[in-house]
Amino acid sequence: MARIAVIGAGMGAMAAAARLAVAGHRVAVYERTETYGGAVRRLERDGFAFDTGPGLLTLPAVYRDLFVKTGKEPLESVVELVQVDPSTRHVFADGTEVSLPNASRAGVVSALDEALGSDSGARWGDFLVRAREAWDRTRRPLLEEPLWPNWSVLADREPYPSVPHKKLLRTRRAGTLAEVGAWELRDPRLVALLESHALAYGLDPRLTPASAAVLPYMEHAFGTWYVRGGMRELARAVYERCVARRVEFHFGAEATGVLEKDGRAAGLELAGGEAVAEADFVVAGVAPDVLSRCVRGTAVREDGAVPPLRGLPSRLTVLVALRGGRPEGAAHRTVVHAEDRERELDLLFGSPWGLDARPTLTVLRPDDPGVVPGPDREAITLTATVPAYAGRAWPASEVFDSHADKLITAAERAVPDIRERLLWREVRVPADIEEATGAEGGAVPAPALAAAEGRLLHPANTTGLSGLFTVGGWSHPGGGLPHAGMSGALVAGLIVEGPEFRGSR
């Protein structure tokens, strides 16, 4: 039985802790804040409850596997999973609307043909077929296996089988998501539909590799799910599973250093001078800048490993309490697309960065009596990507308040009476994300993607210090709830089985 110290109580860290405890190890988690879940938090006020982090789940099989492997108990016995249908309602810049059914290719094709015109559905359906091929080529190395030592193979090869495009007597293939949209989808509304999946993770579609086609494919193939009571209920269930497996949690315990002995990790140094020196392994579920401050005099990353991503955008979230109940038949999720996409991209990813445009906006309207004080009230969450602030001064609060007003204005295209029904609003800014997760600037990690010279790969779960492993969104296989859960499985496998571990079969 090994003694394992875990830094942070995010979803990936807790997934690793539960698996390691079941394998017979003694696991203690040290969390800087006063609660678990990382970015998966909840705000409660006046009987309303809002998710302040992820609001929906894809690939629920990741957490089903976690609960079966740590207790032979189905996930559905501890949380209620609800498949969201329609998966998403889209409101495009020209006013066109379409509601896409959940996990139904034929239904999506039909809906797009009816809303956008004949052949639109066929183009999107053909794209999904190609996206599936990219998924099949990258699923194991990017989600189910430790990062390959020869990870440059993933960096150099584009797995998306793009359609040849002829222009000025030259034949080219799409190398970016924007080129996939322009050359293969062609309709600006389909392009907006495609690019919204990249924007949700703070990725510039003009630079994001074509392999990002796997992002819409994941939703199409595995469905979109909501956890009754909010996604915080999933975090609660994982935390309680850890406790049931005798994982120790220490809240308000900030790790300030990783102790080393004989060239390997030996424990933690905590704020206030208290030391936890009897750990055989350390698992760090924190952002790279936090980890680099904890490991002194030793290279955190292995030689040749992918450098950690920096400067990723954050999110602005507006939590809206409304008088009046949720209308019957309202879509759970609506994406309101920007009226000027190029201006939006320039402000998000250009220099100087700004918040002047009406952004692409996600509106979540859960049909869940558990998140409102009564049937005559509705809770709505508005979320938009905002520029990265790592290494930059925070804007004045008035800047974010002004942008929150723009989000509410944009939301009127999905919820026309939102202003007249407004009871109150709460604005969650990137600094709130930084406080919850420790990520500089409130940056939000994206899933690992192939190609693009490895820019969107994440560092391996092993490090340059023997016995120190990394877990969660800032290490392989990257950000997002499913990927965090898989990182926990990979780290547990590497500790239990050793460096020969190659993932589940």
Side-chain angles (χ1 to χ4, degrees):
M1 177 181 72
R3 292 158 295 188
I4 299 173
V6 180
I7 308 173
M11 297 298 284
M14 290 196 297
R19 291 176 181 271
L20 288 165
V22 166
H25 300 297
R26 180 180 174 182
V27 185
V29 176
Y30 299 86
E31 166 58 43
R32 174 181 56 87
T33 70
E34 297 300 329
T35 189
Y36 54 83
V40 186
R41 299 292 180 96
R42 171 188 286 148
L43 183 140
E44 297 182 1
R45 174 179 164 185
D46 299 341
F48 291 86
F50 300 88
D51 287 319
T52 60
L56 293 169
L57 176 67
T58 56
L59 275 176
V62 171
Y63 288 91
R64 289 186 176 121
D65 181 73
L66 171 65
F67 276 81
V68 169
K69 297 289 178 59
T70 61
K72 299 181 180 179
E73 181 180 22
L75 174 63
E76 285 81 355
S77 69
V78 291
V79 297
E80 182 181 354
L81 282 178
V82 180
Q83 194 165 20
V84 175
D85 202 8
S87 172
T88 315
R89 171 190 174 210
H90 290 269
V91 179
F92 296 106
D94 66 354
T96 306
E97 297 185 16
V98 62
S99 293
L100 301 181
N102 203 337
S104 169
R105 181 177 181 274
V108 167
V109 168
S110 176
L112 289 172
D113 277 342
E114 182 176 349
L116 307 187
S118 179
D119 195 43
S120 296
R123 288 201 298 275
W124 185 260
D126 290 344
F127 158 75
L128 286 177
V129 171
R130 294 188 291 274
R132 176 180 178 175
E133 188 169 338
W135 169 260
D136 289 341
R137 291 174 177 176
T138 60
R139 174 179 57 86
R140 286 202 61 81
L142 287 188
L143 194 63
E144 299 177 358
E145 299 177 343
L147 187 67
W148 292 347
N150 60 335
W151 59 266
S152 60
V153 174
L154 296 171
D156 296 337
R157 295 180 182 177
E158 172 54 71
Y160 177 77
S162 56
V163 176
H165 172 73
K166 288 187 177 181
K167 185 176 181 180
L168 299 177
L169 302 180
R170 294 179 59 194
T171 299
R172 294 185 57 193
R173 292 182 181 271
T176 67
L177 204 64
E179 290 174 340
V180 171
W183 299 349
E184 299 179 13
L185 300 177
R186 300 191 295 279
D187 187 311
R189 295 163 297 185
L190 292 179
V191 173
L193 169 59
L194 172 64
E195 292 184 353
S196 66
H197 291 272
L199 281 174
Y201 285 105
L203 299 175
D204 186 345
R206 300 168 300 186
L207 301 176
T208 301
S211 64
V214 300
L215 300 178
Y217 175 77
M218 283 172 55
E219 287 197 7
H220 162 76
F222 305 107
T224 304
W225 301 79
Y226 173 70
V227 177
R228 187 74 69 187
M231 297 306 299
R232 177 67 175 177
E233 288 299 293
L234 179 63
R236 174 198 56 77
V238 176
Y239 167 73
E240 290 181 353
R241 173 52 51 88
C242 288
V243 171
R245 299 300 170 261
R246 299 185 179 180
V247 175
E248 298 177 9
F249 281 85
H250 303 270
F251 295 107
E254 181 179 3
T256 57
V258 174
L259 300 179
E260 301 179 35
K261 183 178 181 180
D262 299 329
R264 63 173 291 116
L268 298 180
E269 183 180 282
L270 302 178
E274 181 183 357
V276 180
E278 296 182 349
D280 302 296
F281 298 94
V282 172
V283 175
V286 293
D289 50 303
V290 176
L291 181 59
S292 64
R293 292 196 296 268
C294 291
V295 182
R296 296 180 287 273
T298 301
V300 176
R301 304 261 51 100
E302 291 182 303
D303 291 341
V306 184
L309 295 170
R310 291 185 59 81
L312 288 177
S314 187
R315 291 173 184 148
L316 183 71
T317 301
V318 185
L319 312 174
V320 183
L322 300 181
R323 61 175 60 88
R326 180 182 185 272
E328 185 176 354
H332 188 120
R333 176 173 61 178
T334 299
V335 175
V336 180
H337 293 271
E339 296 173 356
D340 187 340
R341 175 57 56 81
E342 284 303 314
R343 177 167 171 76
E344 177 186 32
L345 296 180
D346 288 342
L347 288 169
L348 282 176
F349 305 108
S351 182
W353 298 323
L355 296 173
D356 293 334
R358 292 182 183 177
T360 296
L361 172 70
T362 299
V363 181
L364 296 182
R365 308 179 73 178
D367 183 10
D368 186 352
V371 301
V372 290
D376 60 344
R377 294 291 185 264
E378 183 178 10
I380 294 181
T381 303
L382 313 178
T383 305
T385 299
V386 295
Y389 290 100
R392 300 168 63 90
W394 293 110
S397 60
E398 293 81 3
V399 173
F400 285 125
D401 285 340
S402 174
H403 200 56
D405 285 333
K406 292 185 176 69
L407 265 60
I408 291 178
T409 298
E412 290 180 313
R413 295 168 61 196
V415 189
D417 58 357
I418 187 171
R419 287 191 183 275
E420 60 194 68
R421 295 173 57 199
L422 183 65
L423 288 170
W424 50 262
R425 75 183 194 191
E426 290 260 2
V427 181
R428 310 294 290 179
V429 302
D432 296 311
I433 298 176
E434 181 178 83
E435 171 60 27
T437 67
E440 185 182 2
V444 178
L449 295 172
E453 300 179 339
R455 285 186 294 105
L456 293 174
L457 295 176
H458 289 257
N461 306 105
T462 52
T463 72
L465 178 61
S466 179
L468 173 64
F469 298 82
T470 62
V471 72
W474 294 105
S475 59
H476 180 74
L481 282 173
H483 297 73
M486 282 305 305
S487 74
L490 293 174
V491 168
L494 286 165
I495 291 176
V496 172
E497 299 186 24
E500 68 277 6
F501 174 70
R502 291 296 176 264
S504 58
R505 295 291 177 180

